[in-house]
Amino acid sequence: MSKEKIAILGGGVSAMTAAVYLTEKENWQQEYDITVYQLGWRLGGKGASGRNPDFHERIEEHGLHVWFGAYVNSFRAIETVYNNLDRPSSVPIATWQQALKPHSFVVLQEFIDNEWETWPVDFPLIPGNPADGTLDLHFWQLIQMTIAWLHKWIDGLEDEVAAAHREIKLQTRKRRDRGLLQHLASEITSAFDSLEDKVSDFFDSAQDEAKEIWSTPRLLITQLHELLNLRAADKNLSNSRDRLVTWYIVRKLKRWLRAEARDLLDDHPGIRRLYICADLAIAMLIGLLRDHVHSDGFEAINKYDFKAWLKRNGADEKYVVESAPVRGFYDLVFGYVDGDFDNGNVEAGVASLAMLRLMLCYRGGVMWKMQAGMGDIIFSPIYELLAKRGVKFEYFHQVDELIPASVAGQYVVDEIAMTQQVKLKNGHYDPFVDVKGLPCWPDRPNYEQIDDAQAALLLQHNVNLESFWSNWPALYEAEFGAPLPKLSLKRGRDFDKVIFGISVGGLEHLCPQLLALDSALRLQSSEVKTVATQAFQLWLNQTDEQLGFNYTPPSEERPILSGFSQPFDTWAAMSNLLPHEDWPTNGPKNIAYFCSAFGCAEYPPSSKHGFPAEQKAKVKDNAINKLATEMKPLWPNAYNAADQYNWNTLYDDSTAQGEARFDSQYWRVNVDPSERYVLSVVDSSQYRLPTDGTVFKNLYLTGDWISTGVNAGCVEAAVMAGMQTSRAICGLPENISGEDGFKPD
């Protein structure tokens, strides 16, 4: 039997995950012949990183890449890769535990009375391996675990309110509400042999119609928590009165918060932050119950923007809807259409499910930091494993178009038109450079492996072979008198199945004929939006503390911060990467990463070669302005008495002075169709197709832009998509945690 040939287009997270699991199948080599076709010289897609030899092999990323402890499928995949690769211990990062380290210190920024206030949060470490976790929590489990957090916040608020000599006694008067408390009492008393005296008195008064019912916020939330602990296994929510009790208690707590805590918020940051967390949780609980998410699924609330949904469900508009946690989430998912920070847009179902999972499902740290570049930590071992297993890689292959045909009444992808970007000297490309014993991707091609004349021309014009707007074809033809070589991969000869691992932004450019035949694919292309992003990295002569950031937790972890001024609302201190770069003894002491959405609404045709440079220049201006005018709230010691930024804080090998020292730092703009971040704008999830959801019988879509059970731009969605693609072809993996998250219980 002949092998089935699979062409994988693109080398991002989804495509590589699909390849990993396809090759997990026993004796896969007897069934499949797999070739990856990659633009340029490296794998990684939006997660690619490169080492810059001109600056001591420093790591240069597309942006900030941090994993969350709730990325169950991602950790399962990378554990699979490292365990199967079995690197020798002499490699500096040989295991996944060395590659990723748990991180608990998260910082948010609040804008209060026209000043920025820092809100440090040191999340608890949760024992366990994220790969052993689950995203398959049913509705009642999500409610139960949210109530557990609410319990903690209400406890703190009751103590603060009592200390301020405010009321903490609550009375229940309505007959309907008494009936709900009677239900709560009967369920709790039947489940426990003994109760505290105050709980017994509370339940006795609920049962005795002649008595007044008095309680406290802590008493109510504690007993609700006990009820939900009993119901955690009740996937069918068989008793509707449980939902009514939950509805009653959280709404009563909301009224108490507004009456007794709200006017304390401006003068008491601790109370304000507890209030924000509690009010946000209550609004989400009310919305989940009110909108019947248990019966209609999280997809039912994707018709609302998350902030609008919070307002609809009573969230405090002044303190909560625009609070640091909510703004931080929009920053996390770059949730701004066209990079317009006044146009936040994220589906409520996607946002609420994601927030619940990130808070409730993590293991280890709430986040996990990579200990080198994402290319080094994720894509180097993936490439090593796949190459070892026999997967073929064709670098410098630019996909031009997928061409369809109708065969026996069914549509198929019949041809893949490509451009061969360079000629290799030996026909094979070794993609790595060695950095202190670690195999890494360079920030440029390994020119010594490319035909000398072509390499010289590439270097002379500083050609970017990864750019949609590259002028390389014109330069090549002018120099050599002929166009770049074209390739035509034909179905049946070169491939049988196609995995399209290029991002959704590429569909309109690479698949116009497919879009004309498939209306659902056409809608996915137009309705699943993307946004450009921007990033810059600094290498610094001073530590965070020397710069004036003095919110160090007992763990001494460096901050990951969001919700700050825009652009560059997100900052991460990344000094942990210094040992894996190649600096001299007197090198930098610190690294800072910044990123955010980038304002860009129109993208010109590929013939406008200067477009990326124009946009990159805007990023540089944005970054310099950030340092010159906006970083003092975080780095007060970096400014002089006249509030001027001290550019000597930047590490620079040269003799540059003042603002010119920024020229030795790193900045980039991500405007290419395959680099833009995938959004989850209101009502767009309905247009996401499954991996095999097109009319083309041999085409499999993969990426964080398809329907996954996350439906947001992130590594976890990308990994889940790759798993789904592999399963559709070979049956593995059988289990993908959380893929039914939007469906009703």
Side-chain angles (χ1 to χ4, degrees):
M1 185 177 83
S2 62
K3 296 181 182 180
E4 191 170 55
K5 296 180 179 179
I6 300 175
I8 300 179
L9 309 181
V13 170
S14 296
M16 293 301 92
T17 300
V20 166
Y21 281 97
L22 283 168
T23 58
E24 279 288 286
K25 186 175 182 180
E26 188 175 0
N27 300 320
W28 73 270
Q29 298 95 333
Q30 298 175 18
E31 294 188 43
Y32 305 126
D33 182 343
I34 302 174
T35 305
V36 176
Y37 296 90
Q38 174 62 44
L39 176 76
W41 67 94
R42 58 182 167 180
L43 302 178
K46 291 188 284 290
S49 66
R51 296 304 191 109
N52 189 331
D54 300 332
F55 293 93
H56 305 279
E57 300 294 352
R58 72 185 186 188
I59 298 162
E60 296 178 348
E61 298 273 7
H62 278 60
L64 172 64
H65 298 291
V66 175
W67 283 22
F68 283 86
Y71 282 3
V72 174
N73 298 290
S74 302
F75 277 94
R76 289 177 182 173
I78 205 63
E79 184 178 45
T80 296
V81 169
Y82 274 92
N83 289 350
N84 281 280
L85 181 58
D86 194 22
R87 277 177 168 173
S89 58
S90 58
V91 178
I93 297 176
T95 67
W96 78 265
Q97 293 93 339
Q98 294 171 328
L100 293 130
K101 299 291 185 182
H103 181 88
S104 300
F105 187 46
V106 178
V107 179
L108 298 170
Q109 289 299 112
E110 296 184 286
F111 197 58
I112 307 295
D113 293 332
N114 293 316
E115 292 186 358
W116 288 103
E117 294 190 16
T118 297
W119 179 353
V121 184
D122 199 15
F123 281 85
L125 285 168
I126 304 295
N129 177 354
D132 298 329
T134 181
L135 300 179
D136 290 314
L137 299 180
H138 63 74
F139 178 83
W140 219 223
Q141 288 174 311
L142 291 173
I143 297 293
Q144 173 218 12
M145 296 171 77
T146 305
I147 291 292
W149 278 95
L150 182 59
H151 190 174
K152 176 181 177 181
W153 296 322
I154 291 294
D155 279 0
L157 280 163
E158 182 173 312
D159 291 340
E160 295 283 359
V161 169
H165 307 292
R166 298 300 185 90
E167 186 61 68
I168 62 170
K169 290 187 67 178
L170 305 177
Q171 187 174 17
T172 299
R173 290 189 175 91
K174 293 180 180 179
R175 177 170 295 277
R176 178 201 63 190
D177 298 340
R178 180 186 288 271
L180 294 174
L181 293 180
Q182 288 172 350
H183 170 73
L184 175 66
S186 65
E187 296 298 316
I188 297 294
T189 54
S190 64
F192 294 94
D193 294 332
S194 62
L195 298 170
E196 293 181 61
D197 291 342
K198 61 181 179 181
V199 176
S200 294
D201 291 344
F202 169 56
F203 286 157
D204 287 344
S205 64
Q207 299 286 7
D208 188 340
E209 300 283 347
K211 291 183 178 180
E212 292 183 335
I213 306 175
W214 290 93
S215 60
T216 64
R218 179 180 283 122
L219 181 59
L220 285 176
I221 194 63
T222 301
Q223 298 316 305
L224 179 59
H225 191 195
E226 295 289 3
L227 175 66
L228 297 185
N229 287 340
L230 297 175
R231 295 294 189 265
D234 181 12
K235 186 174 181 179
N236 296 321
L237 288 86
S238 55
N239 195 325
S240 62
R241 291 179 69 81
D242 294 341
R243 299 196 297 276
L244 294 174
V245 167
T246 304
W247 171 272
Y248 163 66
I249 290 178
V250 297
R251 285 172 63 85
K252 191 168 188 68
L253 293 173
K254 182 180 79 170
R255 289 192 293 271
W256 170 73
L257 285 171
R258 300 292 167 86
E260 303 299 336
R262 195 173 189 273
D263 61 353
L264 301 173
L265 305 187
D266 290 339
D267 298 324
H268 299 82
I271 298 177
R272 182 177 65 247
R273 291 162 187 172
L274 286 170
Y275 175 93
I276 288 170
C277 292
D279 194 77
L280 177 59
I282 287 169
M284 291 180 67
L285 288 164
I286 289 172
L288 296 176
L289 294 167
R290 175 186 185 184
D291 290 316
H292 304 287
V293 169
H294 63 283
S295 59
D296 297 338
F298 280 88
E299 60 192 1
I301 57 174
N302 278 334
K303 60 187 176 183
Y304 305 109
D305 170 65
F306 183 55
K307 288 183 181 179
W309 182 72
L310 291 175
K311 289 181 187 178
R312 180 175 183 267
N313 294 297
D316 191 312
E317 291 193 34
K318 178 180 178 181
Y319 291 101
V320 175
V321 175
E322 294 296 335
S323 65
V326 175
R327 289 186 295 104
F329 183 83
Y330 277 71
D331 296 344
L332 172 68
V333 298
F334 301 95
Y336 306 99
V337 176
D338 295 331
D340 178 358
F341 295 112
D342 294 324
N343 191 12
N345 189 326
V346 182
E347 290 174 303
V350 167
S352 56
L353 181 58
M355 289 184 77
L356 290 169
R357 283 173 165 174
L358 294 179
M359 285 286 291
L360 307 180
C361 299
Y362 77 86
R363 297 290 182 272
V366 68
M367 294 180 177
W368 289 64
K369 265 188 175 180
M370 282 172 272
Q371 300 304 299
M374 186 161 178
D376 315 330
I377 294 300
I378 306 302
F379 292 99
S380 289
I382 288 177
Y383 171 77
E384 288 182 289
L385 178 65
L386 292 177
K388 179 180 175 182
R389 286 177 167 180
V391 173
K392 293 174 285 187
F393 288 83
E394 297 289 351
Y395 293 96
F396 305 105
H397 279 67
Q398 176 179 309
V399 177
D400 297 323
E401 187 176 1
L402 276 63
I403 300 168
S406 179
V407 178
Q410 291 187 326
Y411 288 121
V412 295
V413 175
D414 194 53
E415 181 182 352
I416 306 170
M418 290 187 174
T419 297
Q420 185 176 327
Q421 294 178 291
V422 301
K423 179 182 178 182
L424 298 172
K425 289 180 179 178
N426 300 317
H428 171 75
Y429 185 71
D430 180 1
F432 291 148
V433 292
D434 183 285
V435 180
K436 299 170 74 171
L438 188 67
C440 301
W441 305 89
D443 72 334
R444 64 202 69 178
N446 289 324
Y447 289 111
E448 69 277 6
Q449 300 180 44
I450 297 173
D451 172 83
D452 289 335
Q454 293 184 25
L457 190 63
L458 289 165
L459 284 164
Q460 178 186 346
H461 294 278
N462 193 27
V463 171
N464 181 1
L465 290 174
E466 294 178 326
S467 175
F468 176 76
W469 289 274
S470 174
N471 61 347
W472 174 237
L475 290 170
Y476 179 94
E477 187 165 2
E479 178 73 14
F480 299 109
L484 283 167
K486 298 290 184 180
L487 302 176
S488 175
L489 305 186
K490 293 292 293 181
R491 181 181 58 86
R493 182 190 70 192
D494 303 300
F495 69 89
D496 298 294
K497 291 179 176 174
V498 182
I499 296 176
F500 187 85
I502 301 167
S503 191
V504 65
L507 284 173
E508 63 175 313
H509 304 291
L510 307 182
C511 304
Q513 295 185 58
L514 274 61
L515 299 184
L517 294 172
D518 189 337
S519 59
L521 185 61
R522 185 166 64 250
L523 280 170
Q524 179 164 10
S525 176
S526 63
E527 300 303 317
V528 178
K529 308 292 185 182
T530 61
V531 66
T533 62
Q534 58 188 325
F536 73 97
Q537 298 170 206
L538 303 177
W539 285 263
L540 297 148
N541 291 316
Q542 295 184 350
T543 66
D544 301 320
E545 288 76 15
Q546 289 171 331
L547 291 167
F549 188 85
N550 294 309
Y551 298 89
T552 305
S555 64
E556 298 187 355
E557 287 183 337
R558 303 294 88 192
I560 294 178
L561 177 147
S562 195
F564 192 36
S565 59
Q566 295 160 326
F568 302 116
D569 43 50
T570 300
W571 159 53
M574 302 294 287
S575 57
N576 61 296
L577 300 180
L578 286 170
H580 293 288
E581 298 177 335
D582 197 16
W583 298 100
T585 303
N586 61 343
K589 297 179 181 178
N590 198 3
I591 305 176
Y593 283 18
F594 295 83
C595 66
S596 74
F598 176 75
C600 187
E602 300 292 335
Y603 300 92
S606 59
S607 57
K608 189 173 181 182
H609 306 307
F611 177 72
E614 294 169 4
Q615 306 311 304
K616 186 177 179 182
K618 295 178 183 177
V619 175
K620 182 181 181 182
D621 290 343
N622 291 341
I624 290 174
N625 182 68
K626 188 76 176 185
L627 296 175
T629 65
E630 296 184 6
M631 282 300 292
K632 189 174 181 180
L634 301 180
W635 295 349
N637 297 347
Y639 293 78
N640 64 22
D643 284 344
Q644 295 173 322
Y645 186 76
N646 176 13
W647 297 99
N648 287 327
T649 58
L650 303 182
Y651 178 87
D652 189 348
D653 282 334
S654 75
T655 58
Q657 296 297 313
E659 186 181 300
R661 294 176 70 85
F662 185 84
D663 292 343
S664 65
Q665 309 304 305
Y666 177 70
W667 62 96
R668 69 172 292 132
V669 65
N670 300 306
V671 289
D672 271 74
S674 61
E675 291 178 341
R676 299 197 294 265
Y677 203 88
V678 177
L679 298 178
S680 306
V681 301
V682 170
D683 253 350
S684 64
S685 279
Q686 63 179 310
Y687 300 108
R688 290 172 175 255
L689 298 176
T691 184
D692 55 357
T694 75
V695 300
F696 305 97
K697 300 305 177 184
N698 63 340
L699 176 63
Y700 298 85
L701 309 175
T702 202
D704 59 5
W705 49 279
I706 71 170
S707 179
T708 59
V710 172
N711 291 2
C714 64
V715 166
E716 181 71 353
V719 168
M720 292 168 72
M723 288 177 161
Q724 290 172 328
T725 299
S726 173
R727 185 177 61 191
I729 295 172
C730 77
L732 295 177
E734 295 180 4
N735 176 56
I736 303 172
S737 187
E739 65 178 330
D740 295 324
F742 291 99
K743 296 177 182 178
D745 283 339

